[in-house]
């Protein structure tokens, strides 16, 4: 993973020093809140519903054990003993005191972390596939690309006051685990005639006006990627609507001008940026790639894994659900669910963070990843060590076998924390997970992704959930709209609204009716919810939701 050089360390230290002085001026009244707001947002500090919130960048979701332990320490020392992992592969602290923020930032700097550009109209934390460098289906590790983009975009003088925030995601696999089509720019590593290059997608995004991105360039050679991305952002920076923040995102720019016009403008600008770069970025990229060399994999007998898998049904269920195929023989990717039934999606206590850090240090080549689905990944673990890893996770409430299942719910903080939210998200997620755990049909349901947002900003990615839930305020009453058929993968699609919304007390029974319709209409147990929906369309699910007979049967 990337290590700070002397410049990085000095840059972050100076930013923290400046912000410490700004915080002191806010506290003594020298700065008003209006004057302080742009300064705090540049350093990842929000003013939420009940308190300040600090959003910390976890670049492309990669952490080592020392960094995870420091996150745990910060949670205990200056917050309420937990942190919240987000769909942007960040961590948020929801209860810090303003006077403590400078100390928190200095503590982050001790382990080469910061909160710069996790807010504001800038290029935000660059995200990547959480299986990067480990996945068996990977063409190339996307993290060096993400790190190159992070260095280029941090404090970029042209891009500090963009029309709106700007989000970039990178994947190195044809199986898209980074939701690239729902980003301002999505980058997919590809190969043509043996040459590594990039497909660049532009104009994706969720929120008030959800759109799937369009292919701007099908193949950009490796040497041209950074000047091409700079050309794309430069074009939007000039065209983007600053008169209306609801129409300022690049997706609206692409929609208003058309992809062909945007492509022509980007190509024109690219001719200038390509000449200006002079290859300096390629030398830096080579240095970065060297820092992402794979660990020294060690072969070992898989007998312990096989014995546990054959003899322990609890371990087998966890292995079947939470493990993914690794590129190295004898290894697996272990996904740690931090979504125990009834828990808050994405929340991890300081103790849990330390447990995961210890396991990564002892068994996982000192690497952890945060996924956009708000779980934690051990990307490199030997199969022979998995029984011991599972036992440790189980003893700390971290061995829930539900990855990809109905209780593995993405949910934003909602009205419990967020000043923008119009409805609660967390309790809905908790109640759905608890209800289907009571019914004991989660394994029979199989692959089903529910995503919940507490307002139209869609931080819970509800538009691309197999079942999406959007909480809204209707005349002072929480109402939940349902969408079906969303997909965040390489086959990205926006969900379709089913019809009228449901009240807070009605939403869990409504989801139960939807699942019942799926179980009734699927061809067999191998057909997933999404496949059944695509085969049959909306009609049987809408009937289950709204027909009086369907409601009566569910009530019984």
């Amino acid at each position: 993973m990337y290590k700070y050089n002397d410049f990085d360390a000095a840059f972050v230290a100076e930013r923290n020093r400046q912000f410490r002085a700004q915080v002191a001026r806010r506290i003594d009244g020298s700065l008003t809140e209006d004057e302080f707001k742009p300064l705090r947002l540049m350093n990842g500090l929000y003013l939420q519903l009940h308190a300040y919130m600090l959003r910390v960048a976890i670049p492309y979701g990669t952490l080592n054990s020392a960094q995870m332990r420091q996150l745990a320490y910060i949670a205990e020392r200056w917050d309420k003993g937990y942190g919240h992992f987000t769909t942007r592969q960040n961590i948020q602290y929801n209860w810090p005191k303003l006077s403590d923020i400078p100390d928190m930032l200095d503590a982050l700097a001790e382990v080469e972390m910061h909160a710069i550009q996790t807010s504001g109209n800038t290029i935000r934390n660059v995200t990547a596939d959480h299986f990067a460098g480990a996945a068996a289906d990977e063409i190339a590790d996307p993290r060096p690309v993400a790190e190159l983009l992070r260095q280029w975009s941090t404090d970029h003088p042209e891009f500090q006051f963009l029309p709106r925030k700007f989000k970039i995601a990178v994947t190195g696999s044809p199986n898209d685990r980074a939701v690239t089509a729902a980003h301002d720019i999505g980058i997919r590593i590809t190969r043509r005639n043996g040459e590594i290059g990039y497909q660049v997608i532009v104009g994706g995004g969720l929120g008030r006006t959800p759109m799937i991105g369009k292919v701007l360039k099908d193949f950009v050679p490796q040497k041209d990627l950074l000047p091409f991305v700079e050309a794309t952002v430069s074009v939007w920076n000039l065209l983007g609507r600053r008169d209306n923040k609801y129409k300022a995102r690049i997706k609206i720019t692409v929609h208003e001008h058309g992809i062909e016009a945007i492509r022509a403008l980007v190509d024109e600008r690219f001719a200038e940026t390509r000449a200006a770069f002079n290859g300096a970025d390629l030398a830096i990229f080579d240095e970065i790639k060297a820092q992402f060399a794979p660990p020294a994999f060690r072969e070992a007998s898989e007998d312990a894994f096989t014995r546990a898998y054959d003899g322990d049904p609890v371990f087998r269920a966890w292995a079947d659900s939470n493990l993914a195929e690794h590129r190295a023989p004898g290894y697996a990717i272990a996904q740690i669910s931090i979504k125990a039934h009834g828990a808050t999606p994405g929340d991890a206590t300081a103790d849990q963070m330390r447990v995961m850090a210890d396991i990564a240090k002892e068994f996982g080549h000192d690497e952890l990843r945060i996924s956009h689905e708000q779980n934690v990944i051990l990307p490199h673990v030997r199969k022979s060590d998995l029984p011991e890893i599972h036992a440790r996770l189980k003893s700390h409430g971290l061995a829930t076998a539900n990855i990809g299942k109905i209780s593995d719910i993405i949910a934003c903080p909602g009205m419990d924390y967020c000043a923008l939210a119009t409805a609660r998200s967390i309790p809905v997620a908790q109640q759905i997970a608890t209800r289907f755990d009571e019914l004991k049909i989660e394994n029979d349901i199989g692959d089903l992704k529910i995503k919940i947002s507490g307002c139209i900003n869609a931080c819970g990615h509800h538009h691309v959930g197999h079942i999406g839930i959007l909480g809204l305020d209707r005349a002072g009453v929480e109402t939940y709209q349902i969408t079906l058929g969303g997909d965040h993968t390489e086959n990205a699609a926006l969900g379709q609204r089913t019809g009228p919304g449901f009240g807070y007390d009605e939403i869990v029974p409504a989801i139960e009716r939807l699942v019942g319709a799926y179980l009734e209409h699927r061809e067999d147990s191998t057909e997933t919810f999404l496949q059944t929906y695509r085969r049959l369309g909306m009609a049987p699910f809408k009937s289950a939701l709204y027909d009086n007979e369907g409601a009566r049967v569910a009530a019984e």
Side-chain angles (χ1 to χ4, degrees):
M1 61 188 294
Y2 179 75
K3 296 292 184 183
Y4 278 15
N5 58 29
D6 290 343
F7 174 84
D8 296 323
F11 173 80
V12 173
E14 176 59 18
R15 281 291 294 262
N16 289 355
R17 186 195 65 77
Q18 291 175 2
F19 192 54
R20 183 179 290 275
Q22 291 161 359
V23 168
R25 292 168 64 201
R26 174 69 188 110
I27 291 173
D28 70 19
S30 301
L31 289 175
T32 66
E33 172 54 29
D34 286 343
E35 293 168 330
F36 182 57
K37 182 178 179 178
L39 302 174
R40 63 172 170 80
L41 290 178
M42 292 174 68
N43 291 279
L45 185 61
Y46 289 75
L47 186 56
Q48 293 283 75
L49 193 60
H50 305 293
Y52 283 101
M53 178 270 282
L54 180 66
R55 178 181 293 154
V56 176
I58 303 176
Y60 34 88
T62 294
L63 289 166
N64 60 32
S65 60
Q67 290 170 328
M68 183 68 99
R69 287 193 192 95
Q70 192 77 329
L71 296 180
Y73 168 73
I74 290 169
E76 284 188 333
R77 175 69 178 81
W78 292 294
D79 207 276
K80 292 191 176 183
Y82 71 95
H84 177 74
F85 293 109
T86 77
T87 57
R88 295 292 304 157
Q89 298 179 309
N90 296 311
I91 186 171
Q92 295 181 175
Y93 295 103
N94 290 313
W95 301 100
K97 296 178 181 178
L98 178 58
S99 58
D100 291 332
I101 299 298
D103 290 337
M104 296 172 75
L105 294 177
D106 284 345
L108 289 168
E110 292 173 5
V111 291
E112 302 183 351
M113 297 184 74
H114 62 74
I116 297 167
Q117 290 184 203
T118 59
S119 181
N121 293 336
T122 60
I123 296 173
R124 300 288 187 88
N125 185 41
V126 180
T127 60
D129 181 356
H130 44 274
F131 292 171
D137 60 1
E138 188 173 79
I139 297 170
D141 189 339
R143 292 176 302 158
V145 174
E147 174 59 26
L148 179 69
L149 292 166
R150 184 194 71 82
Q151 292 190 25
W152 159 81
S153 63
T154 301
D155 231 25
H156 193 301
E158 186 180 345
F159 303 143
Q160 289 307 294
F161 299 96
L162 294 167
R164 280 287 273 137
K165 57 188 175 182
F166 199 89
K167 299 175 181 179
I168 302 175
V170 191
T171 183
S173 166
N175 299 300
D176 187 359
R177 291 176 288 265
V179 208
T180 57
H183 281 75
D184 298 289
I185 288 180
I187 297 171
R188 296 175 176 174
I189 299 177
T190 185
R191 184 183 284 112
R192 177 184 290 179
N193 299 324
E195 179 188 1
I196 293 290
Y198 308 92
Q199 183 188 68
V200 178
I201 298 166
V202 69
L206 304 179
R208 181 183 296 266
T209 310
M211 294 184 182
I212 298 298
K214 297 176 173 62
V215 175
L216 181 63
K217 199 83 165 181
D218 199 52
F219 188 86
V220 177
Q222 191 163 288
K223 63 184 176 62
D224 291 338
L225 178 65
L226 196 55
F228 188 82
V229 171
E230 174 151 319
T232 304
V233 182
S234 295
V235 166
W236 171 66
N237 196 23
L238 291 174
L239 290 180
R241 296 277 299 273
R242 285 180 166 86
D243 61 322
N244 185 335
K245 72 175 184 177
Y246 301 117
K247 297 183 179 181
R249 298 291 293 269
I250 194 172
K251 61 187 178 183
I252 304 299
T253 306
V254 172
H255 177 73
E256 289 181 338
H257 292 266
I259 188 64
E260 295 298 335
I262 296 298
R263 185 178 292 119
L265 290 169
V266 170
D267 286 344
E268 181 181 351
R269 176 66 177 144
F270 172 59
E272 299 170 349
T273 57
R274 186 183 192 185
F277 270 76
N278 266 338
D281 56 311
L282 300 179
I284 293 171
F285 189 38
D286 286 340
E287 294 175 3
I288 290 171
K289 284 192 289 186
Q291 306 222 26
F292 289 90
F297 296 124
R298 307 182 303 275
E299 291 191 27
S301 168
E302 296 181 24
D303 289 350
F305 174 83
T306 302
R307 284 194 301 271
Y309 189 87
D310 292 341
D312 181 353
V314 175
F315 176 79
R316 185 188 310 119
W318 178 79
D320 288 344
S321 173
N322 291 36
L323 299 184
E325 186 179 2
H326 198 281
R327 66 192 314 159
Y331 273 74
I333 301 168
Q335 302 175 77
I336 303 172
S337 171
I338 48 175
K339 307 208 187 125
H341 299 100
T344 299
D347 279 8
T349 67
D351 285 342
Q352 289 175 327
M353 291 186 218
R354 278 190 286 267
V355 168
M356 292 186 283
D358 290 344
I359 292 173
K361 182 72 172 178
E362 185 172 350
F363 300 108
H365 295 277
D366 202 26
E367 280 196 45
L368 302 115
R369 308 281 170 75
I370 308 304
S371 76
H372 82 270
E373 295 178 316
Q374 300 175 287
N375 290 313
V376 180
I377 316 298
L378 296 167
H380 311 295
V381 291
R382 290 188 295 182
K383 289 185 177 180
S384 57
D385 293 327
L386 283 167
E388 174 65 19
I389 291 171
H390 176 258
R392 293 200 193 181
L393 292 172
K394 185 178 178 182
S395 66
H396 290 85
L398 289 168
T400 305
N402 67 340
I403 295 293
K405 295 186 170 69
I406 196 169
S407 62
D408 184 15
I409 298 170
I410 288 179
C412 73
M415 208 160 59
D416 288 298
Y417 296 99
C418 182
L420 301 177
T422 50
R424 289 169 288 177
S425 299
I426 292 171
V428 174
Q430 291 170 321
Q431 290 167 33
I432 291 171
T434 300
R435 177 56 179 157
F436 283 93
D437 186 43
E438 293 169 349
L439 293 172
K440 302 303 178 189
I441 59 173
E442 190 167 19
N443 289 330
D444 189 31
I445 295 166
D447 180 31
L448 176 53
K449 296 186 181 296
I450 295 180
K451 306 178 193 290
I452 307 174
S453 300
C455 78
I456 57 174
N457 290 302
C459 294
H461 292 193
H462 68 276
H463 294 293
V464 291
H466 300 165
I467 298 175
I469 302 173
L470 168 62
L472 297 169
D473 182 320
R474 296 296 193 211
V477 177
E478 289 173 289
T479 302
Y480 295 85
Q481 290 181 356
I482 294 176
T483 54
L484 300 179
D487 187 352
H488 72 270
T489 71
E490 63 281 0
N491 302 310
L494 300 174
Q496 300 300 306
R497 185 177 163 189
T498 61
F502 296 86
Y504 179 78
D505 294 332
E506 301 170 326
I507 186 61
V508 176
I511 300 303
E512 192 173 338
R513 295 198 298 277
L514 279 175
V515 172
Y518 156 63
L519 295 174
E520 177 185 351
H521 292 291
R522 67 183 181 182
E523 290 186 325
D524 55 47
S525 61
T526 65
E527 186 177 56
T528 66
F529 180 93
L530 187 57
Q531 290 168 341
T532 302
Y533 174 80
R534 286 174 173 170
R535 178 172 58 85
L536 298 177
M538 180 71 77
F541 298 98
K542 194 166 185 176
S543 176
L545 280 176
Y546 299 108
D547 286 357
N548 290 333
E549 182 67 15
R552 185 187 65 79
V553 171
E556 292 175 354

